[in-house]
Amino acid sequence: MTAPDAPRSPAPEPVEVELAAALPPPQHRLAGVARAALRVVPVVLLIAAAWVLWREFHKLSFEAVAHAIAGWSATEIALALALSVASFVLMAVIEWVGLRWTGALIALAPVVLGSFLANAIAHAIGANLLISGAIRARTYDRYGVTLAQVAGTTVFAAVSFTVGLAALSGGGLLLASQAELDATAIPAPIARALGAALVVGALCYVALCAIRRRPFTVFRRSITLPDVWDAIAQLVLGVVDNGIAAAILWILLPAHGPSYVSFVGAYAVACIAGLISSVPGGAGVFESAMATLLPSVEAAALAAAFLGYRLAFYILPLMIAALALAIDAIRHRKS
C-alpha cells in the first residue's frame, strides 16, 4: 500500500527507468527479458483460451445452449441479478473503507456512485487499475480527494480483492471432500497444497499489517501498510465479495453440478488466469479455464451459465454505468 506523497513532491520517474538505473548490466538484461515475457504471456494465454473454447464448445448448437438457458427458473435469474447488486454494494463498502484509510472523508452515497462507475466500467474494459483510477479521480475530484488518495484507494481495493480471493479459494480447496475434488480437474494433493498456501498467504498479509507499522521503501517509494483492523476488513469484505461473485455463476449451473465449496477453487484459478491475460474482463481465458477445470459439467449448461454470468456481472452494469456517467457529465456541465 502506498502512502500519499507530499503535495509538492516531484513527479516520479517511471519504474522502468528506476529499475534500469539500479541494476547492473546482467540484471538489466534480465529485466528486459521479463518485460518482453509480460508482453508475450497475454497473447499466448489468449491463443490457448481460444483453442480450449473451440475444443470444448465447437460442437454445441444454439438450440442446446438455448435449452439450457430455458431451464433456468425465475428464482435463479432473480437471485443471480440480486447477487450482482450485492457484489457491487460490497465493492462500494470496500472503497469507502479505503478512502478513509487515505484520509479522504466522504459520505457513503457518492462513494457508491464512484465505486459503481469505476468497477463496472473497469471490469468490462480491462486495465482495471488504470481505468478505475481515472474514473475515481474524475468522480471524487469535486469532493476534494487528491490523486494520491485516489491511487491509495485503488490499490486498497485491489489488495482487498486479492486477499479475499486467496482466502476464499484456499478455504474451498481445503474444505472440499475427495469426491468433490474428483469432479474437477485439480488433483487432490495439488488442491490441498494450493489451498493451504493461499490461506496462509492471506493470513500472512494481515499479520504483516499488525506487526509492521513503520513505512518501508520499495523503488524509492514509501510504503505504509494499513493497520490490522483495516487489513481484517479487507480480508473479510474481500472474501464475501468474491464469494458472492462466484455464486452468480454457480447458481446458473445445473443442480447436479459441482458443490459450491469445490467450485470456488476452480473459479479462483480461472479468475487469476483471466487477470494475467490482461484481456478485458478475462473474456475467453476465464471461460476456457473454467471449462478445463470443471470437466464434469455439461458443455451446453456451462456455456449458458457463462452467458448469464457475463450479462449479470459485466454487460448490464456496464450499460447502467455508461448511462449514469453520461447523465452525471451533463448535469455537472450545466451546473
Side-chain angles (χ1 to χ4, degrees):
M1 313 297 289
T2 305
D5 295 326
R8 297 187 179 182
S9 58
E13 291 289 335
V15 173
E16 292 84 355
V17 174
E18 294 179 3
L19 189 61
L23 298 179
Q27 291 174 309
H28 203 347
R29 289 193 293 271
L30 287 176
V33 171
R35 285 196 298 271
L38 288 175
R39 296 190 187 99
V40 172
V41 166
V43 178
V44 173
L45 283 174
L46 191 57
I47 293 173
W51 179 79
V52 171
L53 288 175
W54 178 86
R55 182 194 67 189
E56 298 292 335
F57 300 124
H58 76 282
K59 294 181 179 179
L60 285 181
S61 64
F62 175 79
E63 289 76 12
V65 176
H67 179 73
I69 293 175
W72 298 341
S73 67
T75 301
E76 289 171 336
I77 296 172
L79 185 55
L81 293 173
L83 288 170
S84 181
V85 172
S87 179
F88 278 97
V89 169
L90 276 173
M91 290 181 213
V93 174
I94 292 171
E95 185 140 333
W96 184 72
V97 175
L99 282 165
R100 288 182 167 267
W101 172 70
T102 66
L105 303 180
I106 308 178
L108 185 58
V111 175
V112 171
L113 174 63
S115 171
F116 175 71
L117 293 177
N119 288 296
I121 295 175
H123 283 174
I125 294 178
N128 285 35
L129 292 179
L130 179 62
I131 298 297
S132 63
I135 295 172
R136 287 185 180 103
R138 179 195 177 281
T139 305
Y140 297 140
D141 177 66
R142 69 194 66 150
Y143 300 100
V145 179
T146 66
L147 290 178
Q149 290 171 327
V150 166
T153 302
T154 301
V155 175
F156 187 94
V159 172
S160 299
F161 170 83
T162 302
V163 296
L165 185 65
L168 176 72
S169 59
L173 291 172
L174 288 175
L175 295 174
S177 66
Q178 182 65 47
E180 290 171 331
L181 289 177
D182 289 342
T184 72
I186 308 175
I190 294 178
R192 305 300 188 195
L194 180 60
L198 289 169
V199 171
V200 169
L203 294 178
C204 282
Y205 168 74
V206 176
L208 183 61
C209 290
I211 296 170
R212 180 80 186 205
R213 299 309 315 139
R214 292 182 302 166
F216 55 95
T217 302
V218 177
F219 292 127
R220 303 180 188 175
R221 295 290 181 271
S222 178
I223 307 296
T224 302
L225 294 171
D227 64 36
V228 65
W229 296 112
D230 283 336
I232 291 173
Q234 286 180 293
L235 177 62
V236 173
L237 291 172
V239 166
V240 178
D241 181 34
N242 280 286
I244 289 174
I248 297 171
L249 178 56
W250 179 76
I251 203 71
L252 297 176
L253 292 175
H256 57 274
S259 70
Y260 179 78
V261 173
S262 60
F263 173 83
V264 292
Y267 176 86
V269 173
C271 280
I272 293 170
L275 290 171
I276 293 174
S277 72
S278 298
V279 177
V285 178
F286 172 81
E287 284 83 356
S288 67
M290 289 294 291
T292 301
L293 293 171
L294 298 174
S296 61
V297 180
E298 182 185 2
L302 193 57
F306 288 149
L307 289 175
Y309 172 75
R310 290 290 180 185
L311 181 63
F313 198 54
Y314 287 87
I315 306 303
L316 284 179
L318 175 62
M319 293 171 64
I320 296 170
L323 180 61
L325 192 61
I327 294 173
D328 183 70
I330 292 172
R331 187 180 64 183
H332 282 87
R333 182 174 298 176
K334 291 180 178 180
S335 60

